[in-house]
Amino acid sequence: MIRIHRLQSAKDFRVLFRLGHRRETNLFRLTALPNHLPYSRFAFIAPKTVDKRAVARNRLRRRCREWTRAHFSSPTHGMDIAIFFKQEAGRATKKEFYHSLTDLFRYHAEK
């Protein structure tokens, strides 16, 4: 994912978590907010409670980045989206992981 599509600024995170709309599944917590840019920006947050090994947390982030690259169709306006991984995400199979992610974005797109 190119740098322009990554949410990095502490100020942007504060605004997103204070004003954003939230949605949860058994594996993820999504927070989203329109950003008034022509593109969407993402943050993938995998705390140590998911798995103490950095390798496992990075694998989750890579899977999620690849899925968003392949499946996320950006709306006409950009969004700031943070995906927080829950502990169950580390134990989920690939199929469960991608199915839950698809459901999360499908529900969010309907709102």
Side-chain angles (χ1 to χ4, degrees), residues 25-28 59-60 63-64 67 71 88-104 106:
T25 66
N26 58 337
L27 303 180
F28 309 104
R59 183 183 311 117
L60 293 174
R63 281 183 184 175
C64 208
W67 186 92
H71 293 92
E88 294 81 16
R91 295 188 297 263
T93 65
K94 269 187 170 181
K95 185 176 180 178
E96 293 169 341
F97 184 89
Y98 291 131
H99 180 70
S100 184
L101 198 55
T102 302
D103 288 346
L104 184 69
R106 184 179 303 132

Side-chain angles (χ1 to χ4, degrees), residues 55-103:
V55 172
R57 295 191 310 272
N58 290 338
R59 183 183 311 117
L60 293 174
R61 289 187 197 105
R62 280 194 307 272
R63 281 183 184 175
C64 208
R65 274 196 303 268
E66 187 58 36
W67 186 92
T68 55
R69 186 180 299 121
H71 293 92
F72 186 77
S73 58
S74 185
T76 57
H77 62 282
M79 302 284 289
D80 284 342
I81 299 172
I83 298 175
F84 182 88
F85 297 96
K86 294 184 177 180
Q87 193 169 16
E88 294 81 16
R91 295 188 297 263
T93 65
K94 269 187 170 181
K95 185 176 180 178
E96 293 169 341
F97 184 89
Y98 291 131
H99 180 70
S100 184
L101 198 55
T102 302
D103 288 346

Side-chain angles (χ1 to χ4, degrees), residues 7-19 33 41 80:
L7 190 61
Q8 295 179 327
S9 159
K11 178 185 172 191
D12 292 335
F13 275 103
R14 280 194 302 272
V15 171
L16 175 62
F17 289 128
R18 188 169 11 108
L19 303 174
L33 184 69
R41 298 182 298 179
D80 284 342

